[in-house]
Amino acid sequence: MVNVLVVGSGGREHAISWKLASSDLIENVFTAPGNGGTIQNVDLSVDDIEGLAEFAKEKNCFTVIGPEAPLAAGIVDFFNERNLPVFGPSKDAAQLESSKIWAKEFMKRNSIPTTNFKIFDDAEQAKEFVKSYEKSVVIKADGLASGKGVIVCNDVDEANNAIDKILIENAFGDAGSKIIIEDRIDGVEASYIALCDGKIAIPMATSQDHKRIFDEDKGPNTGGMGAYSPTPVIDESLSVEIQEKIIDKTITSMKKEGIEFRGFLYAGIMIKDDKPFVLEYNVRMGDPECQPILMRLDSDFYKYLHAASEGKLNKLPPISWKNDYSVCVVLASKGYPGSYKIGDPISGFDKIPSSSFIFHAGTKNVNGIIESNGGRVLGVTALGSTLQSAIQNAYSASEKIQWDNKFQRNDIGKKGLSFL
Ligand code: GLY
């Protein structure tokens, strides 16, 4: 029997901890720092790399890293140097997410489909370029900016404001010392996540996120207000094309450049005229995509993560998935992604049907009462034999959960229905 340490505190880490706990091979699942829903929390923050390594050593843990920040800081290298078993990409491999410029140049030199781009560190030069450029653009801060560093611009004024915000006002600090200006393509977005062991990449189930705060994809971007899996937006032939031209190409090109990618590789895909383009890479599971994906997973998750960490995915059979659809509706604090109140007691957990599961994110257990403690609070996740029934099941479970400042989108999964 093995102990596992899951690093992180969001809905993704609750889902990872929950799924690992169902493995017959696992004795204890610790989550650091965890949230109000995770069972055995360890009071260590995700950037306390030494503390996490000490804990993993003392408890003899296999460690799974959830979020990007510790990956970008080199937590996996730190564990590897101490022979502590760990799942996640190295600091070098994590550059695919930690530097958008690195990722774009990598894609360009390896002919991985993405949009045209230019790099700037000078606001005036960036504005000159935008003024004379005839296409709509997206402006991105180079480094990690908690999902807020991507600004989709409708006109030159918006582009100039984005340039000022990142390069002059330093809204993202060092993460915005350089920007990318890239062509904007308007198509359909989907998430394609693969499990990689440095040599091969096996696809996880497909999914689609809902990044904007309001229904019909209106309002500012958030970390994700809901997701469902699988998504009909990616059909069989598109899936093969993404796997070959993007995922496999990324892994083999990384290897050719001397970097083994072990971990989850997430390609944010834009589909335009049936062709996939990489909008961005992430080097981890998506949040909230992880929640509906793991709800559908039938295989032993631990076996796959462990094999990936050892470069032995080729020894395992294909991953097995439930045929059901799964939908995750994020319940957020009113005001998110701006300012919001925390500390509201949440009720209704005892009324949730067994076909649904509530993944906690921004929650805290205060003497047995679950309180809101963040922007994205809960991910109500449900299965259904059709996408429509999974949507209905997720929303009927969501209604049972109440607190004073609860906010949700009411159209999660709906955009998938038109593709069926
Ligand atoms: N759901 C998007 C992300 O995890 O970055």
Side-chain angles (χ1 to χ4, degrees):
M1 298 283 274
V2 196
N3 288 334
V4 174
L5 171 63
V6 177
V7 174
S9 62
R12 168 184 50 215
E13 287 77 28
H14 187 189
I16 292 172
S17 302
W18 167 80
K19 195 66 207 175
L20 287 170
S22 68
S23 168
D24 293 338
L25 303 170
I26 290 183
E27 186 155 12
N28 290 292
V29 178
F30 302 103
T31 314
N35 57 38
T38 45
I39 310 289
Q40 295 195 74
N41 289 348
V42 183
D43 190 13
L44 291 169
S45 76
V46 301
D47 50 15
D48 183 0
I49 294 180
E50 278 185 34
L52 292 163
E54 259 171 48
F55 180 87
K57 188 171 177 196
E58 185 193 314
K59 299 282 185 193
N60 212 6
C61 291
F62 174 70
T63 302
V64 179
I65 315 298
E68 61 278 19
L71 293 168
I75 190 169
V76 168
D77 310 65
F78 192 88
F79 273 57
N80 281 335
E81 282 153 20
R82 285 155 186 79
N83 285 323
L84 296 169
V86 63
F87 171 83
S90 65
K91 184 175 181 172
D92 280 351
Q95 287 177 105
L96 281 179
E97 179 167 2
S98 63
S99 169
K100 291 192 167 61
I101 292 176
W102 194 92
K104 274 290 204 185
E105 288 176 336
F106 168 84
M107 286 187 268
K108 189 174 173 190
R109 67 179 171 268
N110 291 295
S111 307
I112 294 168
T114 190
T115 48
N116 292 327
F117 67 100
K118 274 194 168 294
I119 296 162
F120 295 91
D121 59 7
D122 180 89
E124 284 318 308
Q125 285 174 11
K127 287 180 187 173
E128 276 304 310
F129 171 75
V130 164
K131 199 164 84 182
S132 57
Y133 200 55
E134 276 162 16
K135 296 182 184 168
S136 302
V137 297
V138 177
I139 299 189
K140 297 179 171 174
D142 176 39
L144 296 180
S146 309
K148 296 184 191 120
V150 175
I151 304 170
V152 180
C153 307
N154 289 310
D155 53 37
V156 172
D157 285 345
E158 284 186 17
N160 286 340
N161 289 340
I163 292 165
D164 282 342
K165 181 175 173 183
I166 306 176
L167 287 178
I168 305 285
E169 294 153 27
N170 294 323
F172 307 113
D174 284 350
S177 59
K178 288 187 187 157
I179 57 170
I180 293 176
I181 302 185
E182 67 179 38
D183 289 356
R184 168 176 166 172
I185 40 173
D186 294 315
V188 182
E189 243 183 288
S191 307
Y192 193 98
I193 302 171
L195 177 61
C196 312
D197 71 353
K199 300 187 270 289
I200 62 167
I202 54 178
M204 302 295 284
T206 59
S207 57
Q208 195 178 35
D209 191 8
H210 298 64
K211 291 209 173 80
R212 305 294 186 114
I213 185 71
F214 299 127
D215 286 11
E216 294 176 12
D217 290 336
K218 301 256 167 47
N221 264 335
T222 70
M225 291 300 293
Y228 69 94
S229 170
T231 177
V233 164
I234 300 181
D235 62 16
E236 192 54 40
S237 76
L238 190 55
S239 177
V240 169
E241 186 172 350
I242 294 171
Q243 181 70 30
E244 287 176 6
K245 294 198 179 143
I246 294 174
I247 301 294
D248 293 344
K249 191 89 187 283
T250 301
I251 298 304
T252 51
S253 304
M254 290 285 272
K255 196 158 165 39
K256 211 173 57 197
E257 297 191 8
I259 302 173
E260 283 213 332
F261 192 100
R262 293 184 180 185
F264 285 115
L265 177 65
Y266 168 138
I269 303 285
M270 181 68 85
I271 302 148
K272 171 93 178 154
D273 301 330
D274 294 328
K275 291 271 158 257
F277 297 86
V278 179
L279 288 182
E280 63 173 9
Y281 288 113
N282 294 317
V283 296
R284 52 176 171 81
M285 269 283 210
D287 187 342
E289 292 96 323
C290 179
Q291 293 85 314
I293 289 175
L294 292 190
M295 194 89 173
R296 298 185 54 235
L297 179 66
D298 268 338
S299 303
D300 183 325
F301 194 35
Y302 168 72
K303 282 190 190 162
Y304 284 82
L305 298 190
H306 188 254
S309 75
E310 297 210 318
K312 292 182 181 162
L313 275 178
N314 62 343
K315 303 259 186 289
L316 294 185
I319 295 184
S320 147
W321 300 100
K322 292 187 200 320
N323 285 328
D324 289 337
Y325 283 86
S326 172
V327 172
C328 171
V329 176
V330 168
L331 307 185
S333 297
K334 213 174 278 167
Y336 172 78
S339 55
Y340 50 82
K341 181 176 174 288
I342 59 170
D344 288 335
I346 306 172
S347 64
F349 292 105
D350 53 338
K351 301 193 179 81
I352 298 301
S354 59
S355 59
S356 304
F357 195 85
I358 312 285
F359 293 111
H360 291 230
T363 67
K364 193 161 141 185
N365 186 332
V366 182
N367 302 321
I369 308 282
I370 299 295
E371 291 185 354
S372 63
N373 191 41
R376 291 189 294 171
V377 178
L378 297 165
V380 181
T381 310
L383 294 169
S385 56
T386 61
L387 179 55
Q388 183 71 59
S389 69
I391 293 170
Q392 267 159 9
N393 294 341
Y395 276 105
S396 75
S398 301
E399 275 169 26
K400 312 270 190 263
I401 301 286
Q402 293 301 334
W403 76 92
D404 281 354
N405 289 291
K406 173 183 155 188
F407 174 81
Q408 71 190 34
R409 267 181 70 155
N410 291 307
D411 64 346
I412 302 301
K414 200 172 148 195
K415 54 190 177 182
L417 293 174
S418 59
F419 286 84
L420 288 169

